[in-house]
Amino acid sequence: QVQLVESGGGSVPPGGSLKLSCTASGTIFKIWHMAWYRQAPGKQRELVAIVDSGDNTNVTDSVKGRFSIFRDSAKNTVYLQMNSLKPEDTAAYYCNVDITDYRHDDYIYWGQGTQVTVSS
């Protein structure tokens, strides 16, 4: 069994910064991609950033230059550093992790979500 625990959300004024983290634990054999999605009220969930097992990263255009994703494989943790936050970044943020467990079964796991609110 695998669990994902997120932390780091909160409320900041425009221009502020937050750092989200998501740690995977349990019967993990290998972690493939680790990603962050977000969902604003009334909108579809969207991919924000992704890092693969080779530490190659990609971020969506709307956050390029402001957000960065990185992982600490020794800690099974992925981070999302968010700078120069804008009101339109307000959303629930979810981590998404592709894991092969000890039985060599592969699943996609979702975190519980953490709220980010950008408001003056």
Side-chain angles (χ1 to χ4, degrees), residues 3 40 69 72 75 86 112 119:
Q3 298 82 36
I69 186 170
D72 183 336
K75 297 180 179 180
K86 303 177 180 180
Q112 80 278 12
S119 174

Side-chain angles (χ1 to χ4, degrees), residues 6 13 21-22 45-46 48 50 54 70-72 92 96 106 110:
E6 299 180 23
S21 65
C22 172
R45 190 171 296 190
E46 65 169 347
V48 177
I50 189 167
F70 52 101
R71 65 192 283 174
D72 183 336
N96 169 287
D106 188 79
W110 289 91

Side-chain angles (χ1 to χ4, degrees), residues 7-23:
S7 63
S11 182
V12 296
S17 296
L18 284 172
K19 183 180 178 181
L20 307 182
S21 65
C22 172
T23 298

Side-chain angles (χ1 to χ4, degrees), residues 58-78:
N58 196 20
V59 297
T60 193
D61 287 345
S62 62
V63 306
K64 275 184 179 175
R66 301 188 297 121
F67 290 13
S68 59
I69 186 170
F70 52 101
R71 65 192 283 174
D72 183 336
S73 294
K75 297 180 179 180
N76 292 337
T77 299
V78 61

Side-chain angles (χ1 to χ4, degrees), residues 40-117:
K43 294 188 176 182
Q44 288 189 332
R45 190 171 296 190
E46 65 169 347
L47 176 65
V48 177
I50 189 167
V51 54
D52 66 17
S53 57
D55 287 331
N56 300 298
T57 64
N58 196 20
V59 297
T60 193
D61 287 345
S62 62
V63 306
K64 275 184 179 175
R66 301 188 297 121
F67 290 13
S68 59
I69 186 170
F70 52 101
R71 65 192 283 174
D72 183 336
S73 294
K75 297 180 179 180
N76 292 337
T77 299
V78 61
Y79 304 94
L80 184 68
Q81 177 66 49
M82 304 184 292
N83 300 324
S84 303
L85 282 159
K86 303 177 180 180
E88 51 264 43
D89 296 318
T90 295
Y93 284 70
Y94 300 89
C95 66
N96 169 287
V97 182
D98 183 0
I99 293 174
T100 297
D101 63 20
Y102 288 164
R103 293 181 293 182
H104 291 264
D105 292 327
D106 188 79
Y107 297 100
I108 303 291
Y109 294 88
W110 289 91
Q112 80 278 12
T114 185
Q115 180 66 35
V116 171
T117 301

